[in-house]
């Protein structure tokens, strides 16, 4: 006779329980990570000082964290929108690359008057990102082709395309290195005079606000919720399922493309091979941790931005290796995600009969 | 026609951005040194070679030097790292990849009291100096050895990306090969990655299959040397002495001795006599920062003598690797007889010289 307890899905998850599980997972993860780092010789008080005080409570640290958060929030929002309608956008980095390419194209070809240059770069990057997710979307809606594969593969193609440009037509001829030449001042997002923080933060806040409003008050938001919960039921009820999926997925691609433009116009001021970083991984993790809630995405992106800042400090001043930094970040993410089990399911001992 | 005119226009631009005045730089606080690497330090190649220089520097100054590994080459990551170091009192910062160039130049502007050094970078200012070695001189010597020892008249070399500092190695190697054996051919292949041991092994096999009997790698992994050792074919390594990967077949390795630059240079900074080179520090065999590792067991005495003679000529300035006539692959002339390739044209080299079999991706 099986002795394992039963997992029973809760009909309704109370807010306090959800928050409690979240906090519990986070605290447990941080405790394990701290234990690991202390075992490696990082003094406990320094950990507190680096992670909480230096990263979030000092002016320099906070501006670093906020700057790091900007593209993270955009890819997180993008990922969350697609996730809401059950579409796995694993091509975040591809859409990001295409957005960066579109913005760079505007700069290199001097399209439009100076004053309109920056808005044009941002708008085109959205279109490029949307177009890049458009193809997998079409294949999925028309022939049910798995978007996990197609978005992922298109991500590689986008990166190869970037390489092709950087080693070919767009190479900076002054240095011969594989970067584009740098952007003119009017093609850069203005700095806000606080560390390296730039106007991208307003874009993030604006986009989030817009998203929250649309989701909470509009018909589209309602459709999205219905489609996300059960597309077949939504279809049976006569809701525009395909249109809703298409709209949210295209918006997802557009936001990832915008992230690419914000990176090249906000911090890099040029296209290079390294800007893509690991935004694919981060975007999905953020959306997951935020449970696809747009406001929560902001918070998670902020905390993750802080994680990256602290990770660098650990590497630079405490001789902690990159592998350990990734390990600690992984531990925290895992415990937080695992803790969801306790809010989603009720655990019951099997009856004694 | 138009393409060649465009190229002529492009090369007029200077590769380095020059520094303004020429005042010696002074530290405002006791020296505190940090090195920032884009990958892990123990990569068996480029970064490890620089890190050996760092160790030598630490020993020489009896001090601890901070190391940051795996700081990606995007501006945000690097500037955050630099901000953190500067905030904690570090005032001599060495970055080890060209990908740091722009962000480091901005940091140098923001922190005028900090001395910045950038390996293979492109920017220079009152408190920042880029440095690199004339690696093509050592590659020329390696090419001579390979050409001299080749029986099939075909040698091979694999490299990462088609950038100027790589192209001049490949062309220098090919010209060395031809100096030893005028009709010999050099097969050159780009892997489009700085680090991909599996692909490098496959490319190495492919080059050997095409009939090359000596094989060089311009990369950091030892895959090509393993392939050559197995075949067997002569092997030439890069960055560090790679003889351990091909103990029988090794010919030599083109190696860096960055301590020859870093130790005296950073001592100058500490002494308050450092004046950054306006166009970057850029020296070759004569400075000792680049050279050949000890010869392998199969290298004939006659080859060693020929290479030694050429080395002396290069150091004395009697032999220029890119002295005319220099012809492109298709036979068009880059440098006429009696002239030498101008310095700034080295950095924008985007062609293979005659005698190279391979495809150079087109710029413009």
């Amino acid at each position: 006779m099986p002795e394992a307890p039963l997992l029973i899905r809760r009909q309704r998850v109370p807010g306090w329980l959800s928050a409690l599980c979240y906090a519990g997972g986070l605290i447990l993860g941080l405790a394990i990570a701290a234990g690991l780092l202390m075992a490696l010789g990082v003094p406990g008080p320094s950990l507190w000082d680096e992670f909480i005080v230096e990263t979030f409570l000092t002016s320099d640290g906070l501006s670093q964290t906020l700057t790091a958060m900007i593209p993270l929030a955009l890819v997180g929002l993008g990922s969350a929108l697609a996730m809401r309608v059950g579409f796995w956008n694993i091509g975040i980095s591809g859409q990001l690359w295409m957005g960066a390419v579109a913005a760079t194209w505007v700069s290199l070809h001097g399209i439009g008057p100076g004053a309109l240059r920056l808005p044009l770069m941002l708008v085109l990057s959205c279109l490029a990102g949307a177009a890049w997710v458009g193809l997998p979307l079409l294949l999925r809606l028309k022939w049910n082709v798995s978007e996990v594969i197609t978005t992922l593969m298109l991500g590689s193609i986008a990166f190869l395309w970037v390489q092709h440009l950087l080693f070919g037509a767009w190479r900076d001829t002054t240095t011969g290195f594989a970067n584009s030449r740098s952007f003119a001042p009017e093609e850069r997002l203005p700095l806000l005079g606080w560390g390296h923080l730039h106007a991208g933060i307003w874009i993030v806040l604006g986009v989030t606000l817009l998203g929250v409003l649309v989701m909470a008050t509009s018909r589209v938001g309602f459709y999205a919720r219905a489609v996300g919960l059960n597309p077949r039921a939504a279809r049976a009820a006569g809701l525009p399922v395909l249109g809703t999926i298409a709209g949210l997925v295209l918006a997802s691609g557009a936001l990832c493309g915008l992230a690419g433009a914000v990176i090249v116009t906000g911090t890099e001021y040029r296209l290079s091979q390294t800007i893509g970083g690991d935004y694919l991984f981060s975007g999905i993790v953020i959306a997951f941790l935020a449970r696809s809630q747009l406001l929560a995405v902001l918070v998670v992106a902020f905390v993750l931005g802080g994680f990256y800042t602290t990770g660098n400090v650990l590497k630079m001043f405490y001789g902690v290796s990159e592998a350990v930094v990734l390990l600690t970040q992984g531990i925290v993410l895992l415990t937080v995600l695992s803790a969801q089990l306790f809010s989603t399911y009720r655990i019951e001992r099997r009856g004694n009969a | 026609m138009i393409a060649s005119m465009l190229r002529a226009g492009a090369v007029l631009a200077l590769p380095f951005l020059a520094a303004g005045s020429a005042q010696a730089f002074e530290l405002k606080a006791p020296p505190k040194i940090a090195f920032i690497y884009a990958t892990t330090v123990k990569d068996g190649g480029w970064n490890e070679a620089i890190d050996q220089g760092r160790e030598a520097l630490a020993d020489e100054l009896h001090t601890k030097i901070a190391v940051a590994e795996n700081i990606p080459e995007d501006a945000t990551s690097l500037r955050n790292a630099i901000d953190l170091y500067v905030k904690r009192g570090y005032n001599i910062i060495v970055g080890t990849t060209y990908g740091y160039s722009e962000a480091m130049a901005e940091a140098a502007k923001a922190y005028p009291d900090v001395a910045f050094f950038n390996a293979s970078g492109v920017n220079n200012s009152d408190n920042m100096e880029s440095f690199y070695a004339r690696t093509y001189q050592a590659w020329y010597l390696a090419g001579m050895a390979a050409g001299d020892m080749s029986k099939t008249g075909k040698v091979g070399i694999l490299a990462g990306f088609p950038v100027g500092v790589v192209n001049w190695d490949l062309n220098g190697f090919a010209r060395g090969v031809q100096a030893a054996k005028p009709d010999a051919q050099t097969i050159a292949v780009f892997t489009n990655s700085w680090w991909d041991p599996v692909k490098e092994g496959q490319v190495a096999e492919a080059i050997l299959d095409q009939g090359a009997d000596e094989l060089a790698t311009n990369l950091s992994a030892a895959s090509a040397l393993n392939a050559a050792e197995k075949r067997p074919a002569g092997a030439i390594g890069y960055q560090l002495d790679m003889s351990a990967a091909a103990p029988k077949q090794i010919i030599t390795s083109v190696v860096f001795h960055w301590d020859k630059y870093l130790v005296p240079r950073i001592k100058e900074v500490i002494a308050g006599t450092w004046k950054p080179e306006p166009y970057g520090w850029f020296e070759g065999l004569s400075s000792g920062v680049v050279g050949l590792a000890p010869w392998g067991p199969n290298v004939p005495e006659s080859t060693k003598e020929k290479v030694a003679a050429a080395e002396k000529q290069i150091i004395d300035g009697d032999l220029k690797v890119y002295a005319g006539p220099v012809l492109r692959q298709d036979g068009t002339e880059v440098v006429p007889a009696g002239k030498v390739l101008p310095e700034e044209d080295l950095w924008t080299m985007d062609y293979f010289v005659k005698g190279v079999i391979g495809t150079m991706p087109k710029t413009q």
Side-chain angles (χ1 to χ4, degrees):
Chain A
M1 202 169 113
E3 291 297 325
L6 280 176
L7 283 180
I8 298 170
R9 198 181 184 100
R10 289 180 206 273
Q11 291 296 319
R12 174 165 293 147
V13 182
W16 63 265
L17 181 67
S18 182
L20 196 71
C21 288
Y22 205 103
L26 189 65
I27 289 168
L28 178 69
L30 287 175
I32 298 175
L36 177 68
L37 289 170
M38 278 154 75
L40 285 169
V42 183
S46 308
L47 268 181
W48 172 261
D49 204 42
E50 297 295 356
F51 184 59
I52 304 296
V53 181
E54 292 287 336
T55 309
F56 295 110
L57 301 179
T58 65
S59 168
D60 289 351
L62 195 58
S63 83
Q64 270 201 13
T65 301
L66 282 171
T67 313
M69 161 197 169
I70 294 169
L72 288 173
L74 287 173
V75 295
L77 290 170
S79 184
L81 285 184
M83 226 174 254
R84 283 194 155 209
V85 286
F87 186 95
W88 285 94
N89 184 0
I90 313 292
I92 290 172
S93 50
Q95 292 137 32
L96 186 145
W97 282 119
M98 293 318 275
V101 163
T104 310
W105 178 78
V106 173
S107 161
L108 294 184
H109 291 271
I111 313 283
L116 285 180
R117 193 69 57 76
L118 190 57
L120 189 62
M121 291 165 96
L122 297 175
V123 169
L124 268 189
S125 71
C126 290
L127 293 179
W132 207 242
V133 82
L135 187 62
L137 175 69
L138 192 72
L139 292 172
R140 153 88 185 266
L141 295 182
K142 203 127 177 118
W143 293 293
N144 214 16
V145 177
S146 164
E147 76 276 12
V148 174
I149 308 291
T150 48
T151 51
L152 183 67
M153 291 295 147
L154 278 174
S156 305
I157 291 174
F159 180 60
L160 290 172
W161 174 243
V162 168
Q163 285 204 331
H164 169 76
L165 289 169
L166 289 180
F167 284 99
W170 288 7
R171 188 187 322 211
D172 185 350
T173 43
T174 353
T175 61
F177 288 128
N179 309 311
S180 77
R181 64 153 177 71
S182 45
F183 295 170
E186 74 267 21
E187 295 164 353
R188 305 177 180 193
L189 283 169
L191 290 172
L192 305 184
W194 182 24
H196 305 298
L197 190 64
H198 54 83
I201 193 77
W202 303 128
I203 298 179
V204 167
L205 293 177
V207 166
T208 313
L209 196 66
L210 186 71
V212 169
L213 278 179
V214 167
M215 284 300 157
T217 62
S218 80
R219 203 179 301 175
V220 180
F222 176 73
Y223 292 163
R225 243 187 332 267
V227 172
L229 286 170
N230 189 339
R232 294 175 71 182
R235 195 189 310 258
L239 300 185
V241 174
L242 292 189
T244 308
I245 294 181
L248 264 76
V249 169
L250 289 176
S252 160
L255 286 177
C256 297
L258 184 61
V262 165
I263 293 170
V264 290
T265 59
T267 49
E268 300 298 318
Y269 306 141
R270 62 173 57 221
L271 183 63
S272 77
Q273 286 183 83
T274 49
I275 60 156
D278 38 26
Y279 286 106
L280 167 59
F281 173 73
S282 310
I284 293 173
V285 164
I286 291 170
F288 244 104
L289 287 178
R291 302 187 186 166
S292 303
Q293 297 301 315
L294 303 188
L295 274 180
V297 163
L298 273 196
V299 178
V300 176
F302 177 68
V303 174
L304 210 62
F307 254 67
Y308 289 156
T309 311
T310 317
N312 274 346
V313 174
L314 290 174
K315 280 194 293 192
M316 289 165 57
F317 301 107
Y318 297 96
V320 173
S321 75
E322 170 87 357
V324 173
V325 170
L326 286 177
L327 192 61
T328 55
Q329 292 171 353
I331 288 171
V332 176
L333 297 178
L334 262 181
T335 52
V336 172
L337 288 175
S338 313
Q340 276 194 29
L341 176 91
F342 298 100
S343 66
T344 319
Y345 296 96
R346 196 148 47 86
I347 300 172
E348 282 204 358
R349 209 167 295 171
R350 279 170 197 275
N352 294 330
Chain B
M1 249 328 175
I2 293 168
S4 67
M5 281 164 67
L6 277 176
R7 201 169 298 124
V11 296
L12 289 178
L14 286 173
F16 285 131
L17 304 176
S21 69
Q23 279 211 332
F25 172 90
E26 254 182 83
L27 288 177
K28 302 279 187 293
K32 227 172 151 187
I33 310 170
F35 275 54
I36 303 178
Y37 300 81
T39 66
T40 168
V41 162
K42 296 284 174 225
D43 66 345
W46 168 255
N47 288 294
E48 195 164 337
I50 294 185
D51 203 52
Q52 288 179 355
R54 178 192 66 83
E55 279 168 7
L57 182 66
D59 289 347
E60 183 76 21
L61 299 175
H62 305 292
T63 179
K64 223 172 114 82
I65 297 178
V67 173
E69 295 178 70
N70 292 304
I71 302 296
E73 290 167 274
D74 53 279
T76 320
S77 310
L78 179 69
R79 274 186 302 184
N80 284 352
I82 291 175
D83 288 351
L84 286 171
Y85 273 135
V86 172
K87 209 166 78 177
R88 297 182 194 203
Y90 287 81
N91 51 15
I92 300 174
I93 295 179
V94 183
T96 64
T97 159
Y98 79 80
Y100 290 164
S101 298
E102 296 306 316
M104 211 167 194
E106 276 173 36
K109 219 183 288 169
Y111 301 119
D113 294 338
V114 177
F116 288 93
F117 293 89
N118 190 5
S120 74
V122 293
N123 293 313
N124 300 279
S125 68
D126 290 345
N127 60 328
M128 172 164 178
E129 181 171 277
S130 290
F131 62 97
Y132 198 61
R134 294 177 190 271
T135 48
Y136 60 88
Q137 294 180 344
W139 275 108
Y140 180 88
L141 299 180
M144 277 188 82
D148 203 49
M149 290 171 66
S150 173
K151 302 212 164 43
T152 61
K154 265 190 189 173
V155 303
I157 182 165
L158 51 151
F161 289 103
V163 293
V165 295
V166 168
N167 294 339
W168 75 39
D169 285 351
L170 301 186
N171 285 331
F173 181 72
R175 285 177 71 79
V177 170
Q178 289 161 17
K181 200 168 262 148
D183 54 348
Q185 290 180 309
T186 305
I187 303 168
V189 181
F190 293 109
T191 61
N192 283 321
S193 152
W194 295 122
W195 176 257
D196 190 344
V198 175
K199 191 169 179 191
E200 286 167 35
Q202 290 163 347
V203 169
E205 297 287 347
I207 293 176
L208 293 171
D209 288 344
Q210 287 177 51
D213 63 350
E214 319 290 339
L215 181 65
T217 183
N218 194 255
L219 289 155
S220 294
S223 317
L225 288 93
N226 293 330
E229 178 82 358
K230 244 191 323 190
R231 185 65 55 133
I236 295 171
Y238 190 30
Q239 328 265 13
L240 299 167
D241 186 347
M242 291 190 177
S243 55
K248 291 206 189 75
Q249 295 302 324
I250 190 80
I251 297 174
T252 181
S253 299
V254 171
V255 292
F256 290 109
H257 301 286
W258 288 116
D259 53 315
K260 297 272 197 300
Y261 166 76
L262 289 170
V263 173
R265 212 62 175 162
I266 286 177
K267 277 185 167 169
E268 277 178 35
V269 175
I270 294 169
T273 58
W274 176 54
K275 284 183 195 164
E277 290 285 338
Y279 293 103
W281 187 94
F282 183 44
E283 298 291 335
L285 292 174
S286 56
S287 68
V289 291
V290 65
L292 294 184
W295 293 110
N298 297 338
V299 183
E301 285 306 317
S302 59
T303 304
K304 294 180 191 171
E305 280 161 22
K306 270 184 215 166
V307 174
E311 183 174 12
K312 187 172 181 308
Q313 280 183 304
I314 291 177
I315 290 174
D316 294 344
D318 300 332
L319 172 62
K320 304 269 189 222
V321 172
Y322 291 110
V326 177
L327 302 179
R328 289 196 189 86
Q329 242 175 338
D330 60 6
T332 53
E333 192 176 73
V334 190
V335 184
K339 291 250 169 35
V340 177
L341 186 76
E343 285 284 281
E344 59 268 28
D345 288 10
L346 276 171
W347 298 90
T348 52
M349 191 177 270
D350 60 354
Y351 50 84
F352 281 136
V353 295
K354 204 164 166 45
V356 175
I357 305 174
T359 317
M360 175 70 70
K362 282 264 167 295
T363 301
Q364 304 288 330

